[in-house]
Amino acid sequence: MTRPSFYIFSSESVGEGHPDKVADSISDSVLDACLAQDRLARVACETLVKSDHVVVAGEITTHARLNFEEIVRGAIREIGYVNDDDVFHADKVFITNLITKQSADIAQGVDVRKAEGKKHAKMGAGDQGIMFGYASKETPELMPAPVMFAHRLNRQLAKLRKSGARGTEWIRPDCKSQVAVRYENNLPVEITNVVISTQHTADVTHRQIEKFCIDQVIRQVLPASMLARGAEFLINPTGRFVVGGPQGDCGLTGRKIIVDSYGGMGRHGGGAFSGKDPTKVDRSAAYMARWVAKHIVASGVASKVELQVAYAIGHPEPTSLRVDTFGTGLVSDERIQAAVRKIFRFNPSEIIDQLDLRRPIYRASTHYGHFGKKGLPWETTSRLTAFKKALKI
């Protein structure tokens, strides 16, 4: 008899007030503000936050009229940096704007026109690169369990903090979580340990924080049936986390790409999402790959799948496309890939049209991962019937 395979896999998540997520929030807020006025805006917005300063940089070509100060302060205020003792405060930060227009050399590779040296009149990819999409049956969202559990913890902390309920006054915006899940035969069976680090005021004790996080966060959002007997809970392991957010650490757009995707369970091509308009395939093709991967698992033809798609800058079609079901497919990966090519289109302009991406929807994607959340177009399975028909199952 074959022994079952045992292993533990951990994934992390970060909260809205984490410095890198503050930067992502500002960048996506700028993007949404552009798209709200100009559906064809070209946006590549990068943000750096540190202490009481925000630097917004990048390339934006748009006819939208933007109040960058209002956008930046609004994003910070929504996160919750509005306390009197916050060094990084929505109304007090200094803002430096280093935005320029998109390079004409890049623009001509993306524009839908037949430029000199181009053999086509379609929209080209905004950059070269490889993107991955992933889906599995581990959770109702068709996402890996460890990262979804980690997101739940931070979302609950933010919900409690913003509720203003008695006993939550000490919670501050910066936080991180990590969940370790034990697998048997590649199926998640129990949570072995949970880590939560949350910023707090100076007047609360470690014992209070520990009890609150275990009772009001962990046991409220993680399935009791999955918590192992003797599961380890590590709450603020350093013992103190008063100085946090951009006061305690520098934050940059695009530095949490594994948190944003699959928690390390699926591969990642390296390109960040936030602050980029949908002509940038780093973002749109990763969303497309997730959309397709979710259809594959939702169809029942495989319990786990990873999709890879690759592009060359200025070229309209992928340079490669690969489907891998890790041996879980009921039919061959080649047959699934043929059905994918029949139902879905991977040219950048067609990705934008299929998912209706020229809309101010990106702030909704910034926190708690870009995948596995309701209301985002790449999380639907609107072509499931057509895909099953193409598979002939």
Side-chain angles (χ1 to χ4, degrees), residues 294 355 359 361 364-365 370 372-380:
K294 193 168 181 181
L355 295 176
R359 298 179 287 150
I361 58 175
S365 71
H370 289 240
K373 294 188 292 191
K374 293 180 180 179
L376 299 174
W378 50 90
E379 290 300 315
T380 68

Side-chain angles (χ1 to χ4, degrees), residues 264-304:
M265 187 70 80
R267 282 177 282 195
H268 198 294
F273 303 149
S274 289
K276 298 177 181 178
D277 76 80
T279 67
K280 279 73 172 176
V281 286
D282 278 346
R283 185 169 213 166
S284 57
Y287 291 168
M288 183 69 186
R290 163 63 180 173
W291 192 45
V292 175
K294 193 168 181 181
H295 275 80
I296 293 171
V297 173
S299 74
V301 75
S303 59
K304 180 168 64 174

Side-chain angles (χ1 to χ4, degrees), residues 109 111-115 117-124 314-316:
D111 290 341
V112 185
R113 62 184 177 83
K114 194 168 183 179
K118 291 177 70 176
K119 299 179 180 179
H120 50 77
K122 295 182 179 180
M123 177 185 286
H315 193 69

Side-chain angles (χ1 to χ4, degrees), residues 146-210:
V147 73
M148 292 306 293
F149 291 158
H151 289 325
R152 288 185 194 178
L153 297 171
N154 288 328
R155 189 180 285 112
Q156 176 73 353
L157 265 172
K159 177 182 176 182
L160 293 168
R161 171 172 60 85
K162 293 180 178 182
S163 72
R166 185 176 180 182
T168 64
E169 301 87 353
W170 56 270
I171 310 174
R172 290 295 182 261
D174 195 0
C175 61
K176 299 180 76 172
S177 65
Q178 185 171 285
V179 177
V181 177
R182 183 173 181 265
Y183 283 74
E184 294 183 9
N185 296 320
N186 292 316
L187 296 175
V189 294
E190 63 180 7
I191 296 167
T192 60
N193 65 65
V194 177
V195 182
I196 294 178
S197 293
T198 180
Q199 186 186 10
H200 57 87
T201 59
D203 58 352
V204 65
T205 68
H206 184 270
R207 181 172 294 181
Q208 285 176 284
I209 297 170
E210 188 174 50

